[in-house]
PDB file of all heavy atoms in Angstrom:
ATOM      1  N   GLY F  10     105.322 116.651  95.329  1.00 98.00           N
ATOM      2  CA  GLY F  10     106.467 116.942  96.140  1.00 98.00           C
ATOM      3  C   GLY F  10     107.614 117.513  95.363  1.00 98.00           C
ATOM      4  O   GLY F  10     107.628 117.536  94.135  1.00 98.00           O
ATOM      5  N   GLY F  11     108.613 117.995  96.075  1.00 98.00           N
ATOM      6  CA  GLY F  11     109.755 118.571  95.424  1.00 98.00           C
ATOM      7  C   GLY F  11     110.503 119.464  96.376  1.00 98.00           C
ATOM      8  O   GLY F  11     110.412 119.309  97.586  1.00 98.00           O
ATOM      9  N   LEU F  12     111.232 120.388  95.801  1.00 98.00           N
ATOM     10  CA  LEU F  12     112.048 121.322  96.567  1.00 98.00           C
ATOM     11  C   LEU F  12     111.320 122.644  96.693  1.00 98.00           C
ATOM     12  O   LEU F  12     110.837 123.220  95.706  1.00 98.00           O
ATOM     13  CB  LEU F  12     113.405 121.510  95.889  1.00 98.00           C
ATOM     14  CG  LEU F  12     114.367 122.479  96.551  1.00 98.00           C
ATOM     15  CD1 LEU F  12     114.785 121.965  97.924  1.00 98.00           C
ATOM     16  CD2 LEU F  12     115.596 122.684  95.661  1.00 98.00           C
ATOM     17  N   ALA F  13     111.282 123.148  97.901  1.00 98.00           N
ATOM     18  CA  ALA F  13     110.694 124.445  98.198  1.00 98.00           C
ATOM     19  C   ALA F  13     111.575 125.224  99.089  1.00 98.00           C
ATOM     20  O   ALA F  13     112.398 124.686  99.847  1.00 98.00           O
ATOM     21  CB  ALA F  13     109.295 124.302  98.810  1.00 98.00           C
ATOM     22  N   GLN F  14     111.439 126.542  98.999  1.00 98.00           N
ATOM     23  CA  GLN F  14     112.189 127.423  99.906  1.00 98.00           C
ATOM     24  C   GLN F  14     111.419 127.615 101.207  1.00 98.00           C
ATOM     25  O   GLN F  14     110.204 127.468 101.285  1.00 98.00           O
ATOM     26  CB  GLN F  14     112.401 128.763  99.242  1.00 98.00           C
ATOM     27  CG  GLN F  14     113.215 128.718  97.988  1.00 98.00           C
ATOM     28  CD  GLN F  14     113.392 130.093  97.368  1.00 98.00           C
ATOM     29  OE1 GLN F  14     112.661 131.041  97.712  1.00 98.00           O
ATOM     30  NE2 GLN F  14     114.312 130.209  96.416  1.00 98.00           N
ATOM     31  N   THR F  15     112.166 127.937 102.252  1.00 98.00           N
ATOM     32  CA  THR F  15     111.550 128.279 103.520  1.00 98.00           C
ATOM     33  C   THR F  15     110.573 129.432 103.276  1.00 98.00           C
ATOM     34  O   THR F  15     110.890 130.430 102.642  1.00 98.00           O
ATOM     35  CB  THR F  15     112.586 128.681 104.560  1.00 98.00           C
ATOM     36  OG1 THR F  15     113.427 127.567 104.813  1.00 98.00           O
ATOM     37  CG2 THR F  15     111.933 129.098 105.853  1.00 98.00           C
ATOM     38  N   GLY F  16     109.351 129.291 103.805  1.00 98.00           N
ATOM     39  CA  GLY F  16     108.305 130.269 103.578  1.00 98.00           C
ATOM     40  C   GLY F  16     107.506 130.056 102.301  1.00 98.00           C
ATOM     41  O   GLY F  16     106.515 130.759 102.114  1.00 98.00           O
ATOM     42  N   GLY F  17     107.933 129.135 101.469  1.00 98.00           N
ATOM     43  CA  GLY F  17     107.224 128.869 100.249  1.00 98.00           C
ATOM     44  C   GLY F  17     106.061 127.917 100.397  1.00 98.00           C
ATOM     45  O   GLY F  17     105.690 127.566 101.514  1.00 98.00           O
ATOM     46  N   SER F  18     105.511 127.500  99.288  1.00 98.00           N
ATOM     47  CA  SER F  18     104.306 126.659  99.296  1.00 98.00           C
ATOM     48  C   SER F  18     104.459 125.514  98.265  1.00 98.00           C
ATOM     49  O   SER F  18     105.153 125.576  97.273  1.00 98.00           O
ATOM     50  CB  SER F  18     103.091 127.493  98.883  1.00 98.00           C
ATOM     51  OG  SER F  18     102.819 128.509  99.799  1.00 98.00           O
ATOM     52  N   LEU F  19     103.783 124.400  98.621  1.00 98.00           N
ATOM     53  CA  LEU F  19     103.638 123.287  97.704  1.00 98.00           C
ATOM     54  C   LEU F  19     102.216 122.748  97.902  1.00 98.00           C
ATOM     55  O   LEU F  19     101.608 122.866  98.974  1.00 98.00           O
ATOM     56  CB  LEU F  19     104.623 122.171  98.026  1.00 98.00           C
ATOM     57  CG  LEU F  19     106.070 122.353  97.646  1.00 98.00           C
ATOM     58  CD1 LEU F  19     106.912 121.212  98.197  1.00 98.00           C
ATOM     59  CD2 LEU F  19     106.220 122.420  96.148  1.00 98.00           C
ATOM     60  N   ARG F  20     101.711 122.136  96.839  1.00 98.00           N
ATOM     61  CA  ARG F  20     100.412 121.470  96.907  1.00 98.00           C
ATOM     62  C   ARG F  20     100.585 120.006  96.518  1.00 98.00           C
ATOM     63  O   ARG F  20     100.938 119.713  95.392  1.00 98.00           O
ATOM     64  CB  ARG F  20      99.414 122.151  95.959  1.00 98.00           C
ATOM     65  CG  ARG F  20      97.970 121.655  96.168  1.00 98.00           C
ATOM     66  CD  ARG F  20      97.057 122.323  95.150  1.00 98.00           C
ATOM     67  NE  ARG F  20      95.659 122.066  95.418  1.00 98.00           N
ATOM     68  CZ  ARG F  20      94.768 121.723  94.499  1.00 98.00           C
ATOM     69  NH1 ARG F  20      95.139 121.549  93.238  1.00 98.00           N
ATOM     70  NH2 ARG F  20      93.492 121.521  94.863  1.00 98.00           N
ATOM     71  N   LEU F  21     100.325 119.153  97.469  1.00 98.00           N
ATOM     72  CA  LEU F  21     100.412 117.720  97.245  1.00 98.00           C
ATOM     73  C   LEU F  21      99.041 117.186  96.795  1.00 98.00           C
ATOM     74  O   LEU F  21      98.024 117.646  97.245  1.00 98.00           O
ATOM     75  CB  LEU F  21     100.851 116.976  98.462  1.00 98.00           C
ATOM     76  CG  LEU F  21     102.151 117.455  99.123  1.00 98.00           C
ATOM     77  CD1 LEU F  21     102.511 116.540 100.331  1.00 98.00           C
ATOM     78  CD2 LEU F  21     103.288 117.501  98.124  1.00 98.00           C
ATOM     79  N   SER F  22      99.102 116.184  95.930  1.00 98.00           N
ATOM     80  CA  SER F  22      97.877 115.525  95.462  1.00 98.00           C
ATOM     81  C   SER F  22      97.977 114.045  95.723  1.00 98.00           C
ATOM     82  O   SER F  22      99.075 113.468  95.729  1.00 98.00           O
ATOM     83  CB  SER F  22      97.661 115.776  93.938  1.00 98.00           C
ATOM     84  OG  SER F  22      97.529 117.157  93.668  1.00 98.00           O
ATOM     85  N   CYS F  23      96.825 113.438  95.930  1.00 98.00           N
ATOM     86  CA  CYS F  23      96.758 112.000  96.134  1.00 98.00           C
ATOM     87  C   CYS F  23      95.599 111.461  95.302  1.00 98.00           C
ATOM     88  O   CYS F  23      94.474 111.876  95.526  1.00 98.00           O
ATOM     89  CB  CYS F  23      96.590 111.685  97.604  1.00 98.00           C
ATOM     90  SG  CYS F  23      96.228 109.929  97.969  1.00 98.00           S
ATOM     91  N   ALA F  24      95.918 110.578  94.399  1.00 97.00           N
ATOM     92  CA  ALA F  24      94.889 109.922  93.577  1.00 97.00           C
ATOM     93  C   ALA F  24      94.606 108.519  94.135  1.00 97.00           C
ATOM     94  O   ALA F  24      95.510 107.756  94.380  1.00 97.00           O
ATOM     95  CB  ALA F  24      95.363 109.820  92.118  1.00 97.00           C
ATOM     96  N   ALA F  25      93.321 108.246  94.322  1.00 96.00           N
ATOM     97  CA  ALA F  25      92.904 106.988  94.919  1.00 96.00           C
ATOM     98  C   ALA F  25      92.138 106.155  93.863  1.00 96.00           C
ATOM     99  O   ALA F  25      91.410 106.687  93.033  1.00 96.00           O
ATOM    100  CB  ALA F  25      92.032 107.200  96.121  1.00 96.00           C
ATOM    101  N   SER F  26      92.383 104.877  93.875  1.00 94.00           N
ATOM    102  CA  SER F  26      91.666 103.967  93.009  1.00 94.00           C
ATOM    103  C   SER F  26      91.556 102.598  93.652  1.00 94.00           C
ATOM    104  O   SER F  26      92.324 102.271  94.550  1.00 94.00           O
ATOM    105  CB  SER F  26      92.360 103.851  91.627  1.00 94.00           C
ATOM    106  OG  SER F  26      93.664 103.326  91.741  1.00 94.00           O
ATOM    107  N   GLY F  27      90.600 101.812  93.173  1.00 87.00           N
ATOM    108  CA  GLY F  27      90.486 100.445  93.652  1.00 87.00           C
ATOM    109  C   GLY F  27      89.431 100.218  94.725  1.00 87.00           C
ATOM    110  O   GLY F  27      89.113  99.053  94.999  1.00 87.00           O
ATOM    111  N   ARG F  28      88.942 101.239  95.325  1.00 83.00           N
ATOM    112  CA  ARG F  28      87.920 101.130  96.356  1.00 83.00           C
ATOM    113  C   ARG F  28      87.055 102.386  96.365  1.00 83.00           C
ATOM    114  O   ARG F  28      87.542 103.472  95.998  1.00 83.00           O
ATOM    115  CB  ARG F  28      88.535 100.903  97.718  1.00 83.00           C
ATOM    116  CG  ARG F  28      87.529 100.465  98.774  1.00 83.00           C
ATOM    117  CD  ARG F  28      88.195  99.997 100.060  1.00 83.00           C
ATOM    118  NE  ARG F  28      88.809 101.058 100.830  1.00 83.00           N
ATOM    119  CZ  ARG F  28      89.289 100.943 102.070  1.00 83.00           C
ATOM    120  NH1 ARG F  28      89.207  99.776 102.668  1.00 83.00           N
ATOM    121  NH2 ARG F  28      89.844 101.988 102.668  1.00 83.00           N
ATOM    122  N   THR F  29      85.821 102.256  96.754  1.00 85.00           N
ATOM    123  CA  THR F  29      84.922 103.421  96.876  1.00 85.00           C
ATOM    124  C   THR F  29      85.600 104.491  97.682  1.00 85.00           C
ATOM    125  O   THR F  29      86.074 104.283  98.785  1.00 85.00           O
ATOM    126  CB  THR F  29      83.598 103.001  97.498  1.00 85.00           C
ATOM    127  OG1 THR F  29      82.954 101.981  96.722  1.00 85.00           O
ATOM    128  CG2 THR F  29      82.650 104.215  97.584  1.00 85.00           C
ATOM    129  N   PHE F  30      85.654 105.701  97.135  1.00 91.00           N
ATOM    130  CA  PHE F  30      86.411 106.775  97.724  1.00 91.00           C
ATOM    131  C   PHE F  30      85.605 107.677  98.638  1.00 91.00           C
ATOM    132  O   PHE F  30      86.047 108.020  99.736  1.00 91.00           O
ATOM    133  CB  PHE F  30      87.043 107.603  96.599  1.00 91.00           C
ATOM    134  CG  PHE F  30      87.802 108.801  97.069  1.00 91.00           C
ATOM    135  CD1 PHE F  30      89.071 108.685  97.524  1.00 91.00           C
ATOM    136  CD2 PHE F  30      87.213 110.074  97.057  1.00 91.00           C
ATOM    137  CE1 PHE F  30      89.788 109.789  97.972  1.00 91.00           C
ATOM    138  CE2 PHE F  30      87.914 111.188  97.467  1.00 91.00           C
ATOM    139  CZ  PHE F  30      89.215 111.047  97.936  1.00 91.00           C
ATOM    140  N   SER F  31      84.419 108.056  98.210  1.00 91.00           N
ATOM    141  CA  SER F  31      83.675 109.133  98.861  1.00 91.00           C
ATOM    142  C   SER F  31      83.211 108.817 100.252  1.00 91.00           C
ATOM    143  O   SER F  31      82.930 109.741 101.028  1.00 91.00           O
ATOM    144  CB  SER F  31      82.462 109.539  97.987  1.00 91.00           C
ATOM    145  OG  SER F  31      81.567 108.459  97.869  1.00 91.00           O
ATOM    146  N   THR F  32      83.128 107.571 100.635  1.00 94.00           N
ATOM    147  CA  THR F  32      82.639 107.200 101.944  1.00 94.00           C
ATOM    148  C   THR F  32      83.746 107.021 102.990  1.00 94.00           C
ATOM    149  O   THR F  32      83.446 106.670 104.139  1.00 94.00           O
ATOM    150  CB  THR F  32      81.834 105.908 101.881  1.00 94.00           C
ATOM    151  OG1 THR F  32      82.596 104.866 101.369  1.00 94.00           O
ATOM    152  CG2 THR F  32      80.565 106.107 100.988  1.00 94.00           C
ATOM    153  N   TYR F  33      84.989 107.207 102.598  1.00 95.00           N
ATOM    154  CA  TYR F  33      86.100 106.973 103.517  1.00 95.00           C
ATOM    155  C   TYR F  33      86.811 108.270 103.864  1.00 95.00           C
ATOM    156  O   TYR F  33      87.072 109.123 103.008  1.00 95.00           O
ATOM    157  CB  TYR F  33      87.112 106.046 102.864  1.00 95.00           C
ATOM    158  CG  TYR F  33      86.657 104.608 102.773  1.00 95.00           C
ATOM    159  CD1 TYR F  33      85.861 104.214 101.719  1.00 95.00           C
ATOM    160  CD2 TYR F  33      86.994 103.704 103.746  1.00 95.00           C
ATOM    161  CE1 TYR F  33      85.401 102.894 101.651  1.00 95.00           C
ATOM    162  CE2 TYR F  33      86.571 102.396 103.683  1.00 95.00           C
ATOM    163  CZ  TYR F  33      85.771 101.995 102.628  1.00 95.00           C
ATOM    164  OH  TYR F  33      85.347 100.688 102.534  1.00 95.00           O
ATOM    165  N   ALA F  34      87.156 108.398 105.142  1.00 97.00           N
ATOM    166  CA  ALA F  34      88.006 109.513 105.585  1.00 97.00           C
ATOM    167  C   ALA F  34      89.384 109.362 104.932  1.00 97.00           C
ATOM    168  O   ALA F  34      89.850 108.246 104.688  1.00 97.00           O
ATOM    169  CB  ALA F  34      88.100 109.524 107.074  1.00 97.00           C
ATOM    170  N   MET F  35      89.997 110.482 104.688  1.00 97.00           N
ATOM    171  CA  MET F  35      91.354 110.506 104.123  1.00 97.00           C
ATOM    172  C   MET F  35      92.250 111.329 104.999  1.00 97.00           C
ATOM    173  O   MET F  35      91.811 112.196 105.706  1.00 97.00           O
ATOM    174  CB  MET F  35      91.312 111.059 102.700  1.00 97.00           C
ATOM    175  CG  MET F  35      90.452 110.280 101.697  1.00 97.00           C
ATOM    176  SD  MET F  35      91.109 108.621 101.354  1.00 97.00           S
ATOM    177  CE  MET F  35      92.675 109.007 100.556  1.00 97.00           C
ATOM    178  N   GLY F  36      93.547 111.067 104.870  1.00 98.00           N
ATOM    179  CA  GLY F  36      94.514 111.805 105.675  1.00 98.00           C
ATOM    180  C   GLY F  36      95.861 111.934 105.029  1.00 98.00           C
ATOM    181  O   GLY F  36      96.124 111.313 103.984  1.00 98.00           O
ATOM    182  N   TRP F  37      96.697 112.698 105.665  1.00 98.00           N
ATOM    183  CA  TRP F  37      98.078 112.843 105.281  1.00 98.00           C
ATOM    184  C   TRP F  37      98.994 112.594 106.461  1.00 98.00           C
ATOM    185  O   TRP F  37      98.709 113.049 107.589  1.00 98.00           O
ATOM    186  CB  TRP F  37      98.355 114.261 104.746  1.00 98.00           C
ATOM    187  CG  TRP F  37      97.772 114.487 103.361  1.00 98.00           C
ATOM    188  CD1 TRP F  37      96.580 115.049 103.057  1.00 98.00           C
ATOM    189  CD2 TRP F  37      98.446 114.216 102.145  1.00 98.00           C
ATOM    190  NE1 TRP F  37      96.444 115.114 101.703  1.00 98.00           N
ATOM    191  CE2 TRP F  37      97.561 114.625 101.111  1.00 98.00           C
ATOM    192  CE3 TRP F  37      99.672 113.660 101.791  1.00 98.00           C
ATOM    193  CZ2 TRP F  37      97.873 114.463  99.772  1.00 98.00           C
ATOM    194  CZ3 TRP F  37      99.977 113.485 100.445  1.00 98.00           C
ATOM    195  CH2 TRP F  37      99.086 113.914  99.463  1.00 98.00           C
ATOM    196  N   PHE F  38     100.052 111.884 106.213  1.00 98.00           N
ATOM    197  CA  PHE F  38     101.093 111.603 107.171  1.00 98.00           C
ATOM    198  C   PHE F  38     102.463 112.006 106.591  1.00 98.00           C
ATOM    199  O   PHE F  38     102.568 112.151 105.380  1.00 98.00           O
ATOM    200  CB  PHE F  38     101.168 110.117 107.547  1.00 98.00           C
ATOM    201  CG  PHE F  38      99.943 109.579 108.283  1.00 98.00           C
ATOM    202  CD1 PHE F  38      98.732 109.420 107.625  1.00 98.00           C
ATOM    203  CD2 PHE F  38     100.072 109.262 109.635  1.00 98.00           C
ATOM    204  CE1 PHE F  38      97.649 108.921 108.303  1.00 98.00           C
ATOM    205  CE2 PHE F  38      98.957 108.739 110.307  1.00 98.00           C
ATOM    206  CZ  PHE F  38      97.755 108.586 109.666  1.00 98.00           C
ATOM    207  N   ARG F  39     103.442 112.107 107.440  1.00 98.00           N
ATOM    208  CA  ARG F  39     104.794 112.305 106.940  1.00 98.00           C
ATOM    209  C   ARG F  39     105.760 111.547 107.850  1.00 98.00           C
ATOM    210  O   ARG F  39     105.471 111.263 109.017  1.00 98.00           O
ATOM    211  CB  ARG F  39     105.186 113.770 106.849  1.00 98.00           C
ATOM    212  CG  ARG F  39     105.354 114.451 108.227  1.00 98.00           C
ATOM    213  CD  ARG F  39     105.621 115.936 108.043  1.00 98.00           C
ATOM    214  NE  ARG F  39     105.781 116.630 109.292  1.00 98.00           N
ATOM    215  CZ  ARG F  39     105.803 117.950 109.435  1.00 98.00           C
ATOM    216  NH1 ARG F  39     105.724 118.725 108.350  1.00 98.00           N
ATOM    217  NH2 ARG F  39     105.949 118.481 110.619  1.00 98.00           N
ATOM    218  N   GLN F  40     106.917 111.225 107.259  1.00 98.00           N
ATOM    219  CA  GLN F  40     107.930 110.531 108.020  1.00 98.00           C
ATOM    220  C   GLN F  40     109.322 111.024 107.570  1.00 98.00           C
ATOM    221  O   GLN F  40     109.626 110.951 106.406  1.00 98.00           O
ATOM    222  CB  GLN F  40     107.844 109.026 107.846  1.00 98.00           C
ATOM    223  CG  GLN F  40     108.786 108.265 108.787  1.00 98.00           C
ATOM    224  CD  GLN F  40     108.477 106.793 108.873  1.00 98.00           C
ATOM    225  OE1 GLN F  40     107.816 106.209 107.955  1.00 98.00           O
ATOM    226  NE2 GLN F  40     108.823 106.175 109.967  1.00 98.00           N
ATOM    227  N   ALA F  41     110.042 111.557 108.508  1.00 96.00           N
ATOM    228  CA  ALA F  41     111.411 111.970 108.296  1.00 96.00           C
ATOM    229  C   ALA F  41     112.364 110.886 108.769  1.00 96.00           C
ATOM    230  O   ALA F  41     112.030 110.105 109.667  1.00 96.00           O
ATOM    231  CB  ALA F  41     111.676 113.297 109.008  1.00 96.00           C
ATOM    232  N   PRO F  42     113.565 110.812 108.231  1.00 92.00           N
ATOM    233  CA  PRO F  42     114.510 109.804 108.679  1.00 92.00           C
ATOM    234  C   PRO F  42     114.766 109.859 110.177  1.00 92.00           C
ATOM    235  O   PRO F  42     115.004 110.922 110.714  1.00 92.00           O
ATOM    236  CB  PRO F  42     115.779 110.149 107.908  1.00 92.00           C
ATOM    237  CG  PRO F  42     115.302 110.841 106.670  1.00 92.00           C
ATOM    238  CD  PRO F  42     114.094 111.612 107.117  1.00 92.00           C
ATOM    239  N   GLY F  43     114.708 108.719 110.807  1.00 93.00           N
ATOM    240  CA  GLY F  43     114.946 108.653 112.223  1.00 93.00           C
ATOM    241  C   GLY F  43     113.785 109.084 113.113  1.00 93.00           C
ATOM    242  O   GLY F  43     113.906 109.118 114.345  1.00 93.00           O
ATOM    243  N   LYS F  44     112.644 109.395 112.501  1.00 95.00           N
ATOM    244  CA  LYS F  44     111.477 109.836 113.265  1.00 95.00           C
ATOM    245  C   LYS F  44     110.313 108.907 112.998  1.00 95.00           C
ATOM    246  O   LYS F  44     110.239 108.192 112.007  1.00 95.00           O
ATOM    247  CB  LYS F  44     111.111 111.263 112.885  1.00 95.00           C
ATOM    248  CG  LYS F  44     112.151 112.312 113.283  1.00 95.00           C
ATOM    249  CD  LYS F  44     111.635 113.736 113.002  1.00 95.00           C
ATOM    250  CE  LYS F  44     112.613 114.752 113.474  1.00 95.00           C
ATOM    251  NZ  LYS F  44     112.126 116.140 113.228  1.00 95.00           N
TER     252      LYS F  44
END
C-alpha cells in the first residue's frame, strides 16, 4: 500500500502463514472510514 495518483496502479501482496494455504480460497476486502 501507499500513495498513488488517480489513474495509477498499485500491487498489493499478502503473505500467509500458520495454516495450509493452497486448499483455501483467498480474498481481498477494504474498509474506508465511516463505511
Side-chain angles (χ1 to χ4, degrees):
L12 179 65
Q14 297 178 347
T15 298
S18 298
L19 286 173
R20 190 184 191 225
L21 306 183
S22 299
C23 173
S26 62
R28 192 169 72 169
T29 301
F30 177 80
S31 62
T32 59
Y33 288 84
M35 300 293 296
W37 286 94
F38 293 73
R39 70 184 178 190
Q40 188 165 24
K44 294 186 177 181

